[in-house]
Amino acid sequence: MRGTTVPPGTKSLPPAPGAVPMHRLEVPMPNVMPFAIGTFDTIGPMSRASFPHRHTFYEIVHVTAGTGAHVVDLARWELRPPHLCVIAPGQVHHWQDVSGLDGSVLLFTEHFLVDHPDDRDLLRDLSERPWLTLDAHADAQTTRLIADLDEEYRRGADGFASVLRALLHVLVVRAARLGGRPAGPDPEEPAPARANAVAEEFTRLIAGADPDLWSVHACARRIGVTSGYLADAVKTATGRTPGQLIREARTHEAKRLLARTDLTVRQIARSIGIADPAYFSRFFRRETGVSPGDFRRGADIHHDHRIESIAPAGPPA
């Protein structure tokens, strides 16, 4: 995602009326390492933001105390610390009715993962199940790792950037193990390396909520392959077509905007790259089974972490 970092104090670009604000990572100077770590207090008030917003960077949160809830996309997660949470670029989140919130916050862009590019896949997977409750052993391991990260960051000794990347890699891999997912591809079902790389880049592009990239042709051009090769690579690596994954990305972004903003259906249609609101309504109903209006009226964040639609409250939008 372009323009992921800004100098300290840079004002966020104003969102369209009713849209979700997008925040970029503040770094002291251009070319400075795009990474920060601290407590909720030292990172600043945005780390506890109570309004829906999204980032151009990853955020890992280790919650050690507090009550209330954390809302990520369309799910509401109760605070029963200790927790580990991963928020990916483009996801919408906010803290709700929190009190006594304490813990550590790590912020970094994709550029910081240069030594371990496969961590992008693990982080994306973690962001889809973002609220991990830690047992005593996992919490102690996480606490030690974050303390080491914080010490390296504060001291800034020779080679500290590479040490930070190595420690972050360990944190990400261990977090991925908590959900039972192996930290890496299945060795019994290897896909060709080039196909895997292309599919990974395609998945990263469509996850960025950029409507200009929600087409097979645009993604193929950005990656530097033909549309046909992209389709074959994605099918080989994922078992699904690029078109299916793009439709899912568009639908998920539309759900976010319907549930978390006051944008009109016409504005949301434009936000996901559909010029005709009538076509958007048909598209949304086909993908979800309800109209955009019914989804907005019936959307309710439940404690069982699912977004559910209740019976239609009126005529379709």
Side-chain angles (χ1 to χ4, degrees):
M1 193 176 294
R2 295 178 181 178
T4 56
T5 60
V6 293
T10 303
K11 291 184 178 180
S12 299
L13 296 174
V20 178
M22 174 73 81
H23 297 277
R24 293 173 288 178
L25 181 60
E26 294 187 359
V27 296
M29 295 179 295
N31 304 320
V32 169
M33 180 177 60
F35 176 92
I37 183 172
T39 65
F40 283 97
D41 289 332
T42 61
I43 291 294
M46 273 304 301
S47 65
R48 291 188 175 95
S50 60
F51 58 90
H53 62 285
R54 60 196 351 162
H55 313 137
T56 61
F57 50 87
Y58 291 98
E59 179 174 355
I60 297 179
V61 180
H62 181 215
V63 180
T64 58
T67 59
H70 189 205
V71 180
V72 184
D73 282 338
L74 307 176
R76 183 180 187 274
W77 306 86
E78 294 290 339
L79 268 67
R80 297 186 181 92
H83 298 292
L84 194 68
C85 175
V86 173
I87 304 148
Q91 284 191 293
V92 178
H93 81 114
H94 68 282
W95 300 92
Q96 188 177 74
D97 301 325
V98 294
S99 176
L101 182 62
D102 199 8
S104 300
V105 181
L106 288 78
L107 312 173
F108 54 94
T109 70
E110 286 205 340
H111 300 299
F112 190 69
L113 303 174
V114 62
D115 290 349
H116 302 282
D118 290 344
D119 286 356
R120 294 171 181 170
D121 288 339
L122 296 179
L123 287 163
R124 284 288 173 189
D125 180 71
L126 284 164
S127 73
E128 293 173 1
R129 46 187 179 89
W131 202 240
L132 302 175
T133 298
L134 307 179
D135 61 23
H137 176 68
D139 184 48
Q141 272 195 331
T142 300
T143 298
R144 287 195 299 269
L145 262 176
I146 290 178
D148 287 344
L149 279 157
D150 187 72
E151 182 181 0
E152 281 292 328
Y153 183 71
R154 301 299 163 199
R155 289 181 60 198
D158 290 346
F160 79 110
S162 62
V163 175
L164 286 174
R165 289 187 174 97
L167 291 171
L168 178 62
H169 172 65
V170 174
L171 177 64
V172 171
V173 170
R174 285 183 176 172
R177 290 174 182 169
L178 294 175
R181 179 183 186 273
D186 184 347
E188 296 182 1
E189 298 182 5
R194 175 61 173 157
N196 262 345
V198 168
E200 288 168 7
E201 181 67 7
F202 171 77
T203 302
R204 185 184 70 81
L205 289 175
I206 65 172
D210 182 351
D212 291 338
L213 292 174
W214 279 335
S215 81
V216 176
H217 179 70
C219 285
R221 187 170 63 249
R222 175 68 66 87
I223 296 169
V225 297
T226 66
S227 297
Y229 184 88
L230 176 64
D232 290 342
V234 171
K235 183 71 173 177
T236 298
T238 69
R240 302 160 76 191
T241 68
Q244 287 175 310
L245 296 176
I246 288 172
R247 286 197 301 275
E248 287 183 9
R250 275 185 155 147
T251 303
H252 191 58
E253 178 67 3
K255 285 181 175 180
R256 285 171 170 165
L257 296 177
L258 285 164
R260 297 288 174 220
T261 76
D262 296 323
L263 293 173
T264 66
V265 168
R266 180 183 296 276
Q267 289 171 318
I268 291 172
R270 276 203 231 90
S271 295
I272 68 165
I274 297 177
D276 181 359
Y279 174 76
F280 165 71
S281 293
R282 293 195 298 273
F283 165 84
F284 190 86
R285 182 184 287 276
R286 185 177 69 240
E287 297 298 317
T288 67
V290 296
S291 73
D294 287 341
F295 181 86
R296 173 169 269 169
R297 286 187 288 271
D300 185 21
I301 304 300
H302 288 265
H303 294 279
D304 64 355
H305 309 151
R306 297 194 306 271
I307 185 74
E308 299 183 358
S309 294
I310 62 176

